Amino acid sequence: MTASTTNHPTPEPSPAAPPPLPDPCPRPAAPLGAAGLACEITAELSSRLHTVRLHGFRRPTAPPPALVAVAHGSRHPGAAPAVRALLARVRALRPGLPVHLGHLELDEPPLHDTLAALRDAPTAPGSAVLVPLLFGHGHHVTRDLPAALAAAPHLNGRIATPLGPDALLVEALHDRLLEAGFPTSPHHGHRPAVVLAAAGSRAARSARDTARTARLLSARLGGVPVLPGYASAASPTVPEAVRALTDRGHPPRDIAVAACFAAPGRFADQCAALAPGPAAAPLGDHPALARLVLHRYDQALCARTGSATQDIGAATVAV
């Protein structure tokens, strides 16, 4: 006789938390071998991938020091627009760099106001490089700018070298001469020559800077004679330089005046009026001049104290 059996339904399992996902890299209790170690490293890297950008990762860097362009200043109505156009080109070449303007005299804003405002600047507070929009080591560069930084103790500042001499400056001077109609080569018996008109300074080093710029411009023009001529405080004057070239056999109509000025002003106008031949315009916002401003800024940041710089009080002056 067979014992009867009763069919009992199988009870439904009670709801439970879903089982944990399998560990893609089980961690044995025994010491890891090479394969296990590689698996550990892979798992760790995978867990951190979300923190890495697809196009690479850069550590955040400190904001760059402000570039303070230092213009001489002028009451000429064209001076301020020309300088501001130059600085607009500088900003376009290097977006994100704080660029400010200060004047030594005659115009707004004065340099001391610009430096005072950097105390609370949201970008790179307390750090600045002064780039003189001047073309030689005259007293403004060697005395006035260090004095301005010394009067701004809240700043850790550097002073860049002036804009001349430099190949980029020569490129701008060359282009402005061609724009004024200077011949690219002698023709029909003409003997072109150039007077490089500059503001002038009693500092001997400033005269050496201008003379070197004249030599570089002569080479850029294929050996055309270039003599410095000054508007004030130095010799020869522009008329004296013109006479010297005339005495060498250059017809006055073939003697041009190149304007080694960043912007229109009294000196630039006077020198242009004395030109017997073509008179080049001030350099203004020439692209090469804008690149030169940034080049001087970079040089000042890279210079090493004691080799390419001089310490003057709280300021470091690139030379």
Side-chain angles (χ1 to χ4, degrees):
M1 183 176 182
T2 305
S4 62
T5 59
T6 306
N7 294 325
H8 296 285
T10 303
E12 292 287 333
S14 61
L21 293 175
D23 187 349
C25 184
R27 300 176 181 176
L32 290 175
L37 180 61
C39 193
E40 284 279 340
I41 294 172
T42 301
E44 183 68 14
L45 289 176
S46 298
S47 69
R48 295 172 182 261
L49 281 177
H50 70 279
T51 66
V52 180
R53 295 186 302 172
L54 290 178
H55 298 290
F57 175 76
R58 282 185 181 176
R59 290 185 179 181
T61 57
L67 188 160
V68 178
V70 183
H72 183 276
S74 171
R75 295 188 178 92
H76 192 290
V83 172
R84 294 184 189 281
L86 172 63
L87 297 190
R89 193 177 288 275
V90 170
R91 293 185 183 99
L93 287 172
R94 192 167 299 181
L97 175 65
V99 178
H100 306 273
L101 173 63
H103 294 90
L104 291 166
E105 54 186 74
L106 301 175
D107 215 335
E108 296 291 334
L111 177 59
H112 62 81
D113 284 1
T114 300
L115 298 183
L118 290 177
R119 183 192 305 272
D120 302 317
T123 55
S127 182
V129 176
L130 276 59
V131 180
L133 303 183
L134 306 168
F135 300 96
H137 287 85
H139 294 313
H140 286 315
V141 172
T142 60
R143 295 184 182 180
D144 293 344
L145 296 191
L149 273 183
H154 58 284
L155 281 180
N156 176 17
R158 290 188 166 216
I159 300 171
T161 57
L163 301 182
D166 192 271
L168 286 169
L169 170 59
V170 169
E171 198 61 32
L173 290 166
H174 175 266
D175 286 355
R176 290 288 187 252
L177 277 170
L178 298 189
E179 291 168 4
F182 187 76
T184 55
S185 61
H187 61 286
H188 302 302
H190 293 183
R191 299 189 61 205
V194 174
V195 173
L196 178 63
S201 169
R202 293 183 180 88
R205 188 176 179 186
S206 179
R208 292 196 297 269
D209 291 338
T210 305
R212 186 178 174 201
T213 299
R215 292 194 297 271
L216 292 172
L217 180 58
S218 174
R220 181 65 179 85
L221 291 168
V224 167
V226 179
L227 293 183
Y230 299 102
S232 71
S235 61
T237 65
V238 171
E240 288 170 346
V242 169
R243 283 196 298 272
L245 290 169
T246 302
D247 292 344
R248 296 181 189 181
H250 298 279
R253 67 179 180 275
D254 294 337
I255 300 174
V257 169
C260 200
F261 301 102
R266 178 168 61 92
F267 285 166
D269 285 354
Q270 288 176 355
C271 293
L274 295 169
L283 301 175
D285 65 340
H286 191 284
L289 196 68
R291 295 200 306 274
L292 179 53
V293 169
L294 287 170
H295 181 53
R296 290 293 190 252
Y297 170 86
D298 293 336
Q299 284 180 319
L301 288 181
C302 294
R304 293 181 178 180
T305 301
S307 58
T309 62
Q310 294 176 346
D311 288 333
I312 301 180
T316 302
V317 183
V319 294

